Amino acid sequence: MQSITILGATGSIGRSTLDVVGQHPDKYSVFALTGQSQLKLLAQQSVEYKAKYAVVTDENSAKQLSGFIHALKGQTEVLFGEQALCDVASSSQVQVVMAAIVGAAGLLPTLSAVESSKKVLLANKESLVMAGSIFMRAVQQHSANLLPIDSEHNAIFQCLPSNNAVDSQTAVKKLILSASGGPFRTWTPKQMESVTPEQACAHPNWSMGNKISVDSASMMNKGLECIEAKWLFDTDIKNIDVLIHPQSIVHSLVQYVDGSVLAQLGNPDMRTPIAHGLAWPQRISSNVPDLDLAEIAQLTFEQPDLEAFPCLKLAYQAAEIAGDAPAVLNAANEIAVDAFLKQRLSFTNIAKVVEQTLNSFDFFEPDTLAAVQESDARARRTALSMAKQLEL
Ligand code: NAD
Ligand code: MG
Protein backbone atom coordinates (compact mmCIF):
# COMPACT_ATOMS: atom_id res chain seq x y z
CA MET A 1 0.00 0.00 0.00
CA GLN A 2 1.45 3.36 -1.05
CA SER A 3 0.36 6.67 0.37
CA ILE A 4 0.09 9.58 -2.08
CA THR A 5 -0.02 13.37 -1.94
CA ILE A 6 -1.59 15.06 -4.97
CA LEU A 7 -0.43 18.65 -5.42
CA GLY A 8 -3.08 20.32 -7.57
CA ALA A 9 -5.78 17.67 -6.96
CA THR A 10 -8.63 19.82 -8.30
CA GLY A 11 -7.00 20.32 -11.71
CA SER A 12 -7.19 18.23 -14.84
CA ILE A 13 -4.18 16.06 -13.95
CA GLY A 14 -5.21 15.91 -10.29
CA ARG A 15 -8.70 14.62 -11.16
CA SER A 16 -7.31 12.04 -13.59
CA THR A 17 -4.86 10.89 -10.89
CA LEU A 18 -7.68 10.41 -8.39
CA ASP A 19 -9.60 8.46 -11.04
CA VAL A 20 -6.69 6.01 -11.43
CA VAL A 21 -5.99 5.86 -7.68
CA GLY A 22 -9.70 5.14 -7.08
CA GLN A 23 -9.51 2.12 -9.39
CA HIS A 24 -6.83 0.55 -7.18
CA PRO A 25 -7.86 0.98 -3.53
CA ASP A 26 -5.76 -2.09 -2.67
CA LYS A 27 -2.58 -0.32 -3.85
CA TYR A 28 -2.93 3.39 -3.08
CA SER A 29 -4.31 5.53 -0.28
CA VAL A 30 -4.52 9.32 -0.24
CA PHE A 31 -2.48 11.23 2.34
CA ALA A 32 -3.07 14.82 1.18
CA LEU A 33 -4.86 16.74 -1.56
CA THR A 34 -4.18 20.37 -2.44
CA GLY A 35 -5.92 23.04 -4.49
CA GLN A 36 -6.19 26.78 -4.83
CA SER A 37 -9.85 27.31 -5.78
CA GLN A 38 -12.77 24.92 -6.47
CA LEU A 39 -13.06 24.40 -2.71
CA LYS A 40 -16.30 22.40 -2.90
CA LEU A 41 -14.64 19.95 -5.25
CA LEU A 42 -11.60 19.73 -2.95
CA ALA A 43 -13.90 19.00 -0.01
CA GLN A 44 -15.72 16.25 -1.94
CA GLN A 45 -12.43 14.71 -3.06
CA SER A 46 -11.01 14.86 0.48
CA VAL A 47 -14.02 13.12 1.96
CA GLU A 48 -14.41 10.55 -0.83
CA TYR A 49 -10.74 9.55 -0.75
CA LYS A 50 -10.44 9.90 3.05
CA ALA A 51 -7.47 12.28 2.79
CA LYS A 52 -5.69 12.99 6.09
CA TYR A 53 -4.97 16.57 4.98
CA ALA A 54 -6.32 19.08 2.48
CA VAL A 55 -4.17 22.13 1.74
CA VAL A 56 -5.17 25.48 0.24
CA THR A 57 -3.20 28.67 -0.34
CA ASP A 58 -4.74 31.10 2.19
CA GLU A 59 -6.54 31.28 5.51
CA ASN A 60 -9.87 32.42 4.09
CA SER A 61 -10.02 29.44 1.70
CA ALA A 62 -9.03 27.17 4.59
CA LYS A 63 -12.03 28.36 6.63
CA GLN A 64 -14.41 27.83 3.72
CA LEU A 65 -12.96 24.41 2.97
CA SER A 66 -13.27 23.33 6.62
CA GLY A 67 -16.95 24.30 6.47
CA PHE A 68 -17.55 22.22 3.33
CA ILE A 69 -15.71 19.20 4.78
CA HIS A 70 -17.63 19.50 8.05
CA ALA A 71 -20.94 19.59 6.14
CA LEU A 72 -19.95 16.35 4.41
CA LYS A 73 -19.05 14.82 7.82
CA GLY A 74 -15.44 14.38 6.71
CA GLN A 75 -12.41 13.95 9.00
CA THR A 76 -9.83 15.70 6.78
CA GLU A 77 -7.66 18.27 8.55
CA VAL A 78 -7.28 21.56 6.66
CA LEU A 79 -3.96 23.43 6.35
CA PHE A 80 -2.95 26.47 4.32
CA GLY A 81 0.10 28.24 2.93
CA GLU A 82 3.25 27.35 1.03
CA GLN A 83 4.97 25.69 4.01
CA ALA A 84 1.95 23.39 4.42
CA LEU A 85 2.19 22.44 0.73
CA CYS A 86 5.85 21.56 1.26
CA ASP A 87 5.04 19.65 4.46
CA VAL A 88 2.47 17.34 2.84
CA ALA A 89 4.88 16.76 -0.07
CA SER A 90 7.73 15.79 2.24
CA SER A 91 5.94 13.99 5.09
CA SER A 92 7.50 10.68 6.16
CA GLN A 93 4.03 9.15 5.81
CA VAL A 94 4.07 9.70 2.02
CA GLN A 95 5.75 7.54 -0.61
CA VAL A 96 4.43 9.09 -3.83
CA VAL A 97 3.87 12.75 -4.77
CA MET A 98 1.98 13.80 -7.89
CA ALA A 99 3.29 17.27 -8.81
CA ALA A 100 0.34 18.76 -10.73
CA ILE A 101 0.20 22.40 -9.65
CA VAL A 102 0.30 24.61 -12.73
CA GLY A 103 3.15 27.08 -13.25
CA ALA A 104 5.96 28.41 -11.09
CA ALA A 105 3.80 27.97 -7.96
CA GLY A 106 4.61 24.26 -8.20
CA LEU A 107 8.36 24.65 -7.82
CA LEU A 108 8.84 24.73 -4.03
CA PRO A 109 6.48 21.89 -3.06
CA THR A 110 7.77 19.71 -5.92
CA LEU A 111 11.36 20.37 -4.86
CA SER A 112 10.38 19.59 -1.31
CA ALA A 113 9.18 16.14 -2.43
CA VAL A 114 12.43 15.61 -4.34
CA GLU A 115 14.55 16.63 -1.33
CA SER A 116 12.64 14.09 0.78
CA SER A 117 13.58 11.33 -1.68
CA LYS A 118 10.00 10.59 -2.76
CA LYS A 119 8.76 8.93 -5.87
CA VAL A 120 7.82 12.13 -7.72
CA LEU A 121 5.39 11.98 -10.63
CA LEU A 122 6.18 15.16 -12.53
CA ALA A 123 3.40 16.90 -14.47
CA ASN A 124 4.47 20.44 -13.43
CA LYS A 125 6.92 21.02 -16.31
CA GLU A 126 7.37 24.70 -15.37
CA SER A 127 9.42 23.77 -12.27
CA LEU A 128 11.96 21.95 -14.43
CA VAL A 129 12.00 24.71 -17.05
CA MET A 130 12.66 27.33 -14.36
CA ALA A 131 15.22 25.56 -12.25
CA GLY A 132 16.36 22.53 -14.25
CA SER A 133 19.93 22.42 -13.05
CA ILE A 134 19.10 22.88 -9.35
CA PHE A 135 16.14 20.49 -9.62
CA MET A 136 18.11 17.67 -11.28
CA ARG A 137 21.01 18.11 -8.83
CA ALA A 138 18.51 17.65 -5.98
CA VAL A 139 17.11 14.51 -7.68
CA GLN A 140 20.66 13.05 -7.75
CA GLN A 141 21.64 14.15 -4.25
CA HIS A 142 18.51 12.79 -2.60
CA SER A 143 18.07 9.74 -4.85
CA ALA A 144 14.52 10.79 -5.62
CA ASN A 145 12.67 8.64 -8.12
CA LEU A 146 11.55 11.18 -10.74
CA LEU A 147 9.03 9.84 -13.28
CA PRO A 148 7.73 11.92 -16.20
CA ILE A 149 3.94 12.26 -16.51
CA ASP A 150 3.86 14.71 -19.43
CA SER A 151 2.69 12.31 -22.16
CA GLU A 152 5.63 12.99 -24.50
CA HIS A 153 8.26 12.49 -21.79
CA ASN A 154 6.48 9.47 -20.43
CA ALA A 155 6.51 8.03 -23.97
CA ILE A 156 10.25 8.71 -24.34
CA PHE A 157 10.91 7.21 -20.91
CA GLN A 158 9.11 4.05 -22.08
CA CYS A 159 11.17 3.92 -25.31
CA LEU A 160 14.62 4.56 -23.83
CA PRO A 161 16.98 1.82 -22.65
CA SER A 162 16.47 0.96 -18.99
CA ASN A 163 19.31 3.19 -17.75
CA ASN A 164 17.43 6.09 -19.31
CA ALA A 165 20.54 7.68 -20.78
CA VAL A 166 20.88 9.49 -24.09
CA ASP A 167 24.55 9.07 -24.99
CA SER A 168 26.87 7.32 -27.42
CA GLN A 169 26.87 4.17 -25.27
CA THR A 170 23.14 3.69 -25.50
CA ALA A 171 23.26 4.68 -29.18
CA VAL A 172 20.32 7.05 -28.92
CA LYS A 173 20.53 9.63 -31.68
CA LYS A 174 17.46 11.81 -31.24
CA LEU A 175 14.42 12.35 -29.06
CA ILE A 176 11.41 13.28 -31.17
CA LEU A 177 8.60 15.03 -29.29
CA SER A 178 5.27 14.82 -31.00
CA ALA A 179 2.94 17.83 -30.98
CA SER A 180 -0.67 17.99 -32.06
CA GLY A 181 -0.17 21.52 -33.41
CA GLY A 182 -3.15 22.69 -31.33
CA PRO A 183 -6.39 24.27 -32.54
CA PHE A 184 -4.65 26.81 -34.85
CA ARG A 185 -2.30 24.44 -36.67
CA THR A 186 -3.62 25.39 -40.10
CA TRP A 187 -4.33 29.08 -39.34
CA THR A 188 -2.31 32.02 -40.67
CA PRO A 189 -0.69 34.48 -38.20
CA LYS A 190 -3.25 37.06 -39.38
CA GLN A 191 -6.17 34.76 -38.49
CA MET A 192 -4.61 34.10 -35.07
CA GLU A 193 -4.59 37.81 -34.18
CA SER A 194 -8.22 37.79 -33.10
CA VAL A 195 -8.67 34.42 -31.41
CA THR A 196 -10.56 34.31 -28.11
CA PRO A 197 -9.60 32.47 -24.91
CA GLU A 198 -12.48 30.03 -25.60
CA GLN A 199 -11.04 29.17 -29.02
CA ALA A 200 -7.51 28.81 -27.63
CA CYS A 201 -8.68 26.56 -24.79
CA ALA A 202 -10.63 24.23 -27.09
CA HIS A 203 -7.89 21.72 -27.78
CA PRO A 204 -8.77 19.22 -30.53
CA ASN A 205 -7.53 16.10 -28.68
CA TRP A 206 -6.75 16.75 -25.02
CA SER A 207 -8.87 18.13 -22.19
CA MET A 208 -6.55 20.21 -19.99
CA GLY A 209 -6.33 23.26 -17.71
CA ASN A 210 -6.55 26.72 -19.31
CA LYS A 211 -2.87 27.68 -19.03
CA ILE A 212 -1.50 24.56 -20.72
CA SER A 213 -4.31 24.74 -23.32
CA VAL A 214 -3.20 28.25 -24.33
CA ASP A 215 0.43 27.08 -24.30
CA SER A 216 -0.55 24.24 -26.63
CA ALA A 217 -2.33 26.65 -28.97
CA SER A 218 0.74 28.94 -29.14
CA MET A 219 3.11 25.93 -29.17
CA MET A 220 4.94 27.39 -26.18
CA ASN A 221 3.95 24.14 -24.51
CA LYS A 222 6.14 22.20 -26.94
CA GLY A 223 8.98 24.65 -26.33
CA LEU A 224 8.68 24.16 -22.57
CA GLU A 225 8.60 20.41 -23.21
CA CYS A 226 11.85 20.52 -25.22
CA ILE A 227 13.52 22.19 -22.22
CA GLU A 228 11.85 19.67 -19.88
CA ALA A 229 13.21 16.80 -22.03
CA LYS A 230 16.72 18.26 -22.04
CA TRP A 231 16.80 18.09 -18.23
CA LEU A 232 14.92 14.83 -17.73
CA PHE A 233 17.04 12.90 -20.21
CA ASP A 234 20.29 14.85 -19.74
CA THR A 235 20.83 15.69 -23.38
CA ASP A 236 21.68 18.66 -25.56
CA ILE A 237 18.73 20.64 -26.97
CA LYS A 238 20.17 19.90 -30.43
CA ASN A 239 19.23 16.22 -29.96
CA ILE A 240 15.56 17.09 -29.47
CA ASP A 241 13.22 17.47 -32.45
CA VAL A 242 9.55 18.38 -32.67
CA LEU A 243 7.22 16.56 -35.04
CA ILE A 244 3.65 17.67 -35.70
CA HIS A 245 1.21 14.77 -35.42
CA PRO A 246 -2.38 16.09 -35.37
CA GLN A 247 -4.02 12.84 -34.17
CA SER A 248 -2.05 12.69 -30.84
CA ILE A 249 -1.76 8.90 -30.97
CA VAL A 250 2.03 8.57 -31.26
CA HIS A 251 3.08 10.30 -28.03
CA SER A 252 6.80 10.63 -28.87
CA LEU A 253 9.68 8.69 -30.41
CA VAL A 254 13.31 7.72 -29.78
CA GLN A 255 15.63 7.37 -32.76
CA TYR A 256 18.65 5.03 -32.44
CA VAL A 257 21.89 5.04 -34.47
CA ASP A 258 20.97 1.86 -36.37
CA GLY A 259 17.89 3.49 -37.88
CA SER A 260 15.41 2.01 -35.40
CA VAL A 261 12.75 4.38 -34.13
CA LEU A 262 10.77 3.33 -31.06
CA ALA A 263 7.48 5.04 -30.29
CA GLN A 264 4.79 4.75 -27.63
CA LEU A 265 1.18 4.91 -28.85
CA GLY A 266 -2.12 5.27 -27.06
CA ASN A 267 -5.37 7.17 -26.94
CA PRO A 268 -4.90 10.79 -25.83
CA ASP A 269 -5.87 10.29 -22.18
CA MET A 270 -3.54 11.33 -19.34
CA ARG A 271 -4.67 8.36 -17.24
CA THR A 272 -2.23 6.22 -19.27
CA PRO A 273 0.98 8.08 -18.32
CA ILE A 274 -0.40 8.60 -14.79
CA ALA A 275 -1.02 4.84 -14.36
CA HIS A 276 2.40 4.16 -15.85
CA GLY A 277 4.13 6.48 -13.40
CA LEU A 278 2.14 5.26 -10.41
CA ALA A 279 2.85 1.58 -10.99
CA TRP A 280 6.33 1.77 -12.53
CA PRO A 281 8.18 -0.58 -12.96
CA GLN A 282 4.98 -2.62 -12.98
CA ARG A 283 1.77 -1.88 -14.92
CA ILE A 284 -1.79 -1.32 -13.72
CA SER A 285 -5.03 -0.79 -15.61
CA SER A 286 -6.20 2.80 -16.21
CA ASN A 287 -9.69 2.42 -17.72
CA VAL A 288 -8.45 4.10 -20.92
CA PRO A 289 -10.27 2.51 -23.88
CA ASP A 290 -8.14 0.19 -26.05
CA LEU A 291 -6.46 1.90 -28.98
CA ASP A 292 -8.22 0.99 -32.23
CA LEU A 293 -5.77 1.79 -35.03
CA ALA A 294 -8.03 0.41 -37.77
CA GLU A 295 -10.73 2.82 -36.63
CA ILE A 296 -8.28 5.75 -36.58
CA ALA A 297 -6.96 4.55 -39.95
CA GLN A 298 -4.53 7.40 -40.61
CA LEU A 299 -1.63 8.85 -38.66
CA THR A 300 -0.06 11.91 -40.28
CA PHE A 301 3.10 13.90 -39.58
CA GLU A 302 4.48 17.27 -40.63
CA GLN A 303 7.20 19.80 -39.77
CA PRO A 304 6.42 22.53 -37.21
CA ASP A 305 6.08 26.05 -38.62
CA LEU A 306 8.38 28.23 -36.50
CA GLU A 307 7.29 31.44 -38.25
CA ALA A 308 3.58 30.94 -37.55
CA PHE A 309 4.38 29.75 -33.98
CA PRO A 310 7.18 32.02 -32.74
CA CYS A 311 6.82 30.81 -29.13
CA LEU A 312 8.42 27.50 -30.10
CA LYS A 313 11.35 29.33 -31.64
CA LEU A 314 11.74 31.54 -28.55
CA ALA A 315 11.82 28.49 -26.29
CA TYR A 316 14.53 26.88 -28.45
CA GLN A 317 16.52 30.12 -28.23
CA ALA A 318 16.15 30.26 -24.45
CA ALA A 319 17.26 26.64 -24.20
CA GLU A 320 20.37 27.39 -26.28
CA ILE A 321 21.23 30.45 -24.19
CA ALA A 322 20.62 28.36 -21.00
CA GLY A 323 21.38 29.95 -17.58
CA ASP A 324 18.30 31.80 -16.36
CA ALA A 325 16.89 32.33 -19.89
CA PRO A 326 14.34 29.47 -19.58
CA ALA A 327 13.17 30.88 -16.21
CA VAL A 328 12.72 34.31 -17.82
CA LEU A 329 10.89 32.73 -20.79
CA ASN A 330 8.59 30.81 -18.45
CA ALA A 331 7.78 33.77 -16.21
CA ALA A 332 7.09 36.10 -19.16
CA ASN A 333 4.87 33.45 -20.71
CA GLU A 334 2.86 32.98 -17.48
CA ILE A 335 2.23 36.73 -17.32
CA ALA A 336 1.31 36.95 -21.02
CA VAL A 337 -1.02 33.92 -20.92
CA ASP A 338 -2.75 35.30 -17.85
CA ALA A 339 -3.27 38.66 -19.62
CA PHE A 340 -4.60 36.84 -22.70
CA LEU A 341 -7.04 34.77 -20.60
CA LYS A 342 -8.25 38.03 -18.99
CA GLN A 343 -8.74 39.44 -22.51
CA ARG A 344 -6.16 42.19 -21.97
CA LEU A 345 -3.69 40.92 -24.56
CA SER A 346 -4.16 39.47 -28.01
CA PHE A 347 -3.12 35.88 -28.67
CA THR A 348 -0.31 36.82 -31.06
CA ASN A 349 1.07 39.35 -28.56
CA ILE A 350 1.86 36.52 -26.12
CA ALA A 351 4.97 35.82 -28.22
CA LYS A 352 5.76 39.55 -28.40
CA VAL A 353 5.71 39.93 -24.60
CA VAL A 354 7.96 36.89 -24.21
CA GLU A 355 10.35 38.06 -26.92
CA GLN A 356 10.61 41.62 -25.60
CA THR A 357 11.17 40.36 -22.05
CA LEU A 358 13.93 37.99 -23.20
CA ASN A 359 15.51 40.82 -25.21
CA SER A 360 15.71 43.06 -22.16
CA PHE A 361 17.73 40.61 -20.03
CA ASP A 362 21.42 39.84 -19.56
CA PHE A 363 21.46 36.18 -18.63
CA PHE A 364 23.57 34.42 -15.99
CA GLU A 365 23.82 30.94 -14.46
CA PRO A 366 21.68 30.94 -11.29
CA ASP A 367 23.20 28.46 -8.85
CA THR A 368 20.75 28.97 -6.01
CA LEU A 369 17.00 28.79 -5.79
CA ALA A 370 16.92 32.39 -4.58
CA ALA A 371 18.71 33.49 -7.76
CA VAL A 372 16.14 31.64 -9.91
CA GLN A 373 13.30 33.23 -7.97
CA GLU A 374 14.88 36.66 -8.42
CA SER A 375 15.09 36.15 -12.23
CA ASP A 376 11.50 34.88 -12.22
CA ALA A 377 10.26 37.94 -10.27
CA ARG A 378 12.21 40.40 -12.42
CA ALA A 379 10.92 38.78 -15.63
CA ARG A 380 7.35 39.01 -14.32
CA ARG A 381 7.73 42.73 -13.64
CA THR A 382 9.23 43.33 -17.10
CA ALA A 383 6.59 41.21 -18.85
CA LEU A 384 3.79 42.99 -16.99
CA SER A 385 4.95 46.37 -18.26
CA MET A 386 5.41 44.98 -21.81
CA ALA A 387 1.89 43.52 -21.68
CA LYS A 388 0.56 46.87 -20.47
CA GLN A 389 2.09 48.61 -23.49
CA LEU A 390 0.47 46.08 -25.85
CA GLU A 391 -2.84 46.06 -23.95
CA LEU A 392 -6.05 45.67 -25.95
P1 NAD B 1 -5.23 22.89 -14.02
O1 NAD B 1 -5.29 24.35 -14.18
O2 NAD B 1 -6.37 22.06 -14.46
O3 NAD B 1 -4.94 22.54 -12.48
C1 NAD B 1 -3.94 23.21 -11.74
C2 NAD B 1 -3.99 22.82 -10.26
O4 NAD B 1 -3.03 23.65 -9.57
C3 NAD B 1 -5.33 23.07 -9.58
O5 NAD B 1 -5.53 22.11 -8.60
C4 NAD B 1 -5.15 24.46 -8.95
O6 NAD B 1 -5.99 24.69 -7.84
C5 NAD B 1 -3.69 24.39 -8.53
N1 NAD B 1 -3.07 25.72 -8.46
C6 NAD B 1 -3.11 26.70 -9.42
N2 NAD B 1 -2.41 27.78 -9.01
C7 NAD B 1 -1.93 27.48 -7.78
C8 NAD B 1 -1.13 28.20 -6.84
N3 NAD B 1 -0.71 29.44 -7.08
N4 NAD B 1 -0.80 27.59 -5.68
C9 NAD B 1 -1.23 26.33 -5.41
N5 NAD B 1 -1.98 25.61 -6.26
C10 NAD B 1 -2.32 26.17 -7.43
O7 NAD B 1 -3.88 22.41 -14.74
P2 NAD B 1 -3.55 20.98 -15.38
O8 NAD B 1 -3.98 20.96 -16.79
O9 NAD B 1 -3.98 19.88 -14.47
O10 NAD B 1 -1.95 21.05 -15.41
C11 NAD B 1 -1.19 20.89 -14.23
C12 NAD B 1 0.28 20.77 -14.60
O11 NAD B 1 0.45 19.58 -15.36
C13 NAD B 1 0.80 21.92 -15.49
O12 NAD B 1 2.12 22.19 -15.14
C14 NAD B 1 0.73 21.34 -16.89
O13 NAD B 1 1.68 21.90 -17.75
C15 NAD B 1 1.03 19.88 -16.62
N6 NAD B 1 0.47 18.97 -17.63
C16 NAD B 1 -0.87 18.89 -17.80
C17 NAD B 1 -1.42 18.03 -18.76
C18 NAD B 1 -2.91 17.89 -18.96
O14 NAD B 1 -3.32 17.04 -19.75
N7 NAD B 1 -3.74 18.64 -18.27
C19 NAD B 1 -0.55 17.27 -19.55
C20 NAD B 1 0.81 17.37 -19.35
C21 NAD B 1 1.32 18.22 -18.37
MG1 MG C 1 2.74 17.19 -23.10
Side-chain angles (χ1 to χ4, degrees), residues 72-305:
L72 294 168
K73 303 194 187 339
Q75 305 292 317
T76 305
E77 189 175 327
V78 175
L79 307 171
F80 68 92
E82 192 159 62
Q83 186 55 50
L85 284 175
C86 294
D87 291 345
V88 295
S90 60
S91 163
S92 60
Q93 295 178 65
V94 170
Q95 288 83 48
V96 186
V97 174
M98 165 57 83
I101 290 174
V102 60
L107 176 61
L108 285 186
T110 306
L111 210 50
S112 187
V114 166
E115 286 165 353
S116 319
S117 315
K118 304 299 180 202
K119 172 167 166 173
V120 179
L121 310 183
L122 186 74
N124 174 233
K125 66 193 84 184
E126 294 93 343
S127 54
L128 211 44
V129 171
M130 279 176 79
S133 144
I134 291 165
F135 193 105
M136 293 312 289
R137 210 186 309 142
V139 169
Q140 293 286 327
Q141 268 172 10
H142 299 277
S143 308
N145 187 0
L146 183 68
L147 293 165
I149 297 303
D150 215 343
S151 57
E152 297 77 2
H153 307 74
N154 182 269
I156 288 171
F157 181 77
Q158 295 196 45
C159 297
L160 280 176
S162 55
N163 69 356
N164 217 352
V166 181
D167 56 31
S168 52
Q169 282 185 356
T170 58
V172 171
K173 203 169 170 186
K174 283 232 166 220
L175 304 181
I176 304 168
L177 297 192
S178 39
S180 70
F184 311 133
R185 178 176 60 88
T186 58
W187 292 34
T188 63
K190 185 90 202 130
Q191 285 174 305
M192 280 189 258
E193 274 173 17
S194 54
V195 305
T196 63
E198 289 68 33
Q199 287 173 308
C201 290
H203 195 278
N205 308 331
W206 299 95
S207 155
M208 310 181 284
N210 284 347
K211 193 263 178 182
I212 183 177
S213 295
V214 176
D215 285 349
S216 298
S218 71
M219 292 205 66
M220 179 59 91
N221 183 51
K222 211 48 55 181
L224 299 178
E225 289 184 356
C226 288
I227 302 171
E228 182 187 12
K230 161 193 144 86
W231 289 115
L232 279 173
F233 306 116
D234 190 20
T235 188
D236 195 285
I237 193 77
K238 291 192 177 63
N239 299 329
I240 303 170
D241 281 359
V242 171
L243 178 67
I244 303 287
H245 166 48
Q247 296 81 17
S248 298
I249 297 297
V250 176
H251 295 305
S252 277
L253 314 92
V254 176
Q255 186 184 349
Y256 288 84
V257 287
D258 62 1
S260 299
V261 177
L262 301 195
Q264 184 257 359
L265 283 70
N267 284 317
D269 187 322
M270 288 306 292
R271 290 177 300 175
T272 295
I274 290 167
H276 177 267
L278 271 173
W280 188 85
Q282 269 132 35
R283 299 254 179 192
I284 52 170
S285 62
S286 67
N287 252 351
V288 173
D290 289 343
L291 178 63
D292 185 343
L293 283 174
E295 167 75 26
I296 293 161
Q298 279 206 329
L299 301 178
T300 61
F301 303 92
E302 56 195 69
Q303 284 292 334
D305 181 345

